[in-house]
Amino acid sequence: MGKVTGFMEFARVEEGYEAADKRKQHYKEFVLTLSDEQAKVQGARCMDCGIPFCNNGCPVNNIIPDFNDLVYHQDWKAAIETLHSTNNFPEFTGRICPAPCEAACTLGIHELPVGIKSIEHAIIDKAWANGWVQPQPPLQKTGKKVAIVGSGPAGLAAAQQLARAGHDVTVFEKSSRIGGLLRYGIPDFKLDKGNIDRRLEQLKAEGVVFKTGVYVGKGGLPKGVGSDAKQTIDPEQLKAEFDAVVLAAGSEIPRDLPVPGRELEGVHFAMEFLPQQNKVNAGDKLKDQIKATGKHVVVIGGGDTGSDCVGTSNRHGAKSVTQFELMPMPPEKENKMLVWPYWPTKLRTSSSHDEGCERDWSITTKSFKGENGKLKAVVTARVEWTKDEKTGQMKMTEVAGSEKELPADLVFLAMGFVNPLGSMLEAFGVDKDGRGNAKASTEGAGAYATNVPKVFAAGDVRRGQSLVVWAIREGRQAARAVDEFLMGESVLPR
């Protein structure tokens, strides 16, 4: 490594944030990227540890020690070439990935890990600023046509890889804009949509064709989904016109909370709320936008989506924001000797929580109460978790006398997603696994192939709700599988 003793000499430096009271006034990104010198120091902290567990901790297997060393030597152009060799969109992961690579960092066993995510962020931002991110059109075309259904990170990664292999790629998206979860699920203050738009220009220059407002399925549009779609394409037509089809439509069916009062006005899924603000930020005019201004807001679910609801509600000017989680409060620090190099369960506080939020754990929602059809309160109770001695499973028991009523004008259900659109899979005739996802193996001959000839599946539609970085990985691997299917062999990386 460039600085053999760097890990003993330098401390971790975190990316800075704009002050909370200021950033709550807008929807722009507020993370302060590392300076060149700060990034160099972080690169110097990377140990010559022999076995870089960070590589396997990263789902796309980024070659992390190499680009850390290149940043230490300030060879930024070689650093972006190394980073792009495994990751099509480091501007996405450098902003929104939870960084499982850092959890696997060897230095992290006894010190704070190397700031890998912040280094990645710095590399790609410098690459864009210096014009090093250029289209890479294929030298020759294959004459094969591939359709990709869904334009989230899995679909975009597959599209870029297949286009660079020389295939004619068309991406179909039911919404009016390309990007899927990146566009509509992640707030602008975490991911400025200009990052998506400039990638789309690159993909178009590489030959990818995008068709928006198109739902691929049968029997019209599913209720509440794809409201931007103006056209429906039958899967049979798609299979007839293309040599291969990749389903990359994500996991979109949210987990519901069927308790008394669920039907009251003011109880919404998180993904009814978040996309609306992103659309307004993009200049759309919406009728009856869900607004948290001056309201008591309760967010049910303690993950990233719940955190995004917190941050957006604060920017609306909510009167109060409370977030519940059914599971117990995680420990503030993990037992590294027990969990390393795997992703640890520990208390995580997001920038949105720092902007103002009451949090509580081991809380179950018993009912919603309202007046004249409008939500007025949430009835909760505290629960205890104990391990069943026979099965070893955790068992939940309500604490007697712990029932409580909390004022609430808005409730956002952010408890995860259970399935992709079943109607789409059924329209293609694709078999489902036990969880309702598209059934397809990732290994061996026929990787990512479904039971339907020449139809493949990748990303959340196959694996279930997961991270953006996992979607990129699956999109890349599916692209290689499709290329092998079409050409008999492939030079695309897996």
Side-chain angles (χ1 to χ4, degrees), residues 27 175-177 180-181 183-188 193 224 227-228 267-293 295 308-309 312 316 410 412:
Y27 293 90
S175 298
S176 59
R177 294 183 179 91
L181 173 71
R183 177 75 66 179
Y184 292 115
I186 298 171
D188 289 3
K193 303 312 179 244
S227 57
D228 294 336
V267 183
H268 303 275
F269 289 119
M271 287 301 290
E272 294 178 274
F273 175 58
L274 297 174
Q276 287 190 351
Q277 187 59 55
N278 286 4
K279 290 182 178 182
V280 170
N281 292 346
D284 292 356
K285 303 295 183 182
L286 298 186
K287 183 180 180 182
D288 301 324
Q289 181 189 357
I290 302 168
K291 296 285 288 186
T293 310
K295 297 180 179 179
D308 293 343
C309 290
T312 303
H316 282 187
L410 275 178
F412 298 123

Side-chain angles (χ1 to χ4, degrees), residues 150-207:
S151 68
L156 293 179
Q160 184 162 66
Q161 294 296 96
L162 288 165
R164 289 177 176 179
H167 306 305
D168 292 321
V169 179
T170 303
V171 176
F172 295 89
E173 168 59 52
K174 68 181 184 303
S175 298
S176 59
R177 294 183 179 91
I178 295 295
L181 173 71
L182 298 168
R183 177 75 66 179
Y184 292 115
I186 298 171
D188 289 3
F189 54 80
K190 288 176 64 175
L191 177 67
D192 186 285
K193 303 312 179 244
N195 290 292
I196 304 173
D197 295 335
R198 60 186 178 185
R199 272 296 176 186
L200 296 182
E201 291 306 310
Q202 182 195 34
L203 267 69
K204 290 175 183 176
E206 292 172 349

Side-chain angles (χ1 to χ4, degrees), residues 3 27 78 114 154 169 207 268 287 305 321 364 375 390 398 479:
K3 181 74 170 175
Y27 293 90
V114 176
V169 179
H268 303 275
K287 183 180 180 182
T305 303
V321 182
T364 186
L375 177 71
K390 294 182 179 180
E398 184 176 323

Side-chain angles (χ1 to χ4, degrees), residues 57-79:
C58 173
V60 293
N61 304 123
N62 278 338
I63 313 170
I64 294 164
D66 289 31
F67 68 62
N68 283 342
D69 184 56
L70 289 165
V71 168
Y72 171 74
H73 287 100
Q74 298 290 281
D75 190 349
W76 293 90
K77 193 167 185 180

Side-chain angles (χ1 to χ4, degrees), residues 328-360:
M329 181 178 175
E332 291 191 11
K333 292 186 178 180
E334 75 274 26
N335 184 338
K336 291 184 179 180
M337 302 311 295
L338 180 66
V339 300
W340 180 89
Y342 302 107
W343 184 248
T345 297
K346 68 176 183 179
L347 180 64
R348 302 177 192 278
T349 300
S350 73
S351 59
S352 291
H353 294 138
D354 289 337
E355 292 165 3
C357 176
E358 293 293 327
R359 305 169 73 187
D360 206 350

Side-chain angles (χ1 to χ4, degrees), residues 68-188:
N68 283 342
D69 184 56
L70 289 165
V71 168
Y72 171 74
H73 287 100
Q74 298 290 281
D75 190 349
W76 293 90
K77 193 167 185 180
I80 187 57
E81 291 171 356
T82 301
L83 183 52
H84 267 152
S85 71
T86 55
N87 186 353
N88 296 70
F89 313 121
E91 64 269 46
F92 304 157
T93 51
R95 285 168 165 80
I96 61 175
C97 185
C101 55
E102 294 186 14
C105 175
T106 303
L107 180 59
I109 297 175
H110 63 286
E111 297 282 353
L112 292 176
V114 176
I116 301 167
K117 177 180 174 180
S118 62
I119 293 174
E120 181 176 341
H121 188 181
I123 292 171
I124 184 59
D125 279 11
K126 183 172 284 290
W128 279 111
N130 285 278
W132 297 334
V133 184
Q134 294 294 325
Q136 299 177 34
L139 296 177
Q140 58 185 19
K141 304 288 283 185
T142 65
K144 301 291 186 180
K145 297 170 61 179
V146 181
I148 295 179
V149 181
S151 68
L156 293 179
Q160 184 162 66
Q161 294 296 96
L162 288 165
R164 289 177 176 179
H167 306 305
D168 292 321
V169 179
T170 303
V171 176
F172 295 89
E173 168 59 52
K174 68 181 184 303
S175 298
S176 59
R177 294 183 179 91
I178 295 295
L181 173 71
L182 298 168
R183 177 75 66 179
Y184 292 115
I186 298 171
D188 289 3

Side-chain angles (χ1 to χ4, degrees), residues 355-375:
E355 292 165 3
C357 176
E358 293 293 327
R359 305 169 73 187
D360 206 350
W361 291 264
S362 297
I363 299 293
T364 186
T365 304
K366 300 193 69 174
S367 65
F368 302 116
K369 297 179 68 174
E371 296 176 6
N372 301 318
K374 293 186 177 182
L375 177 71

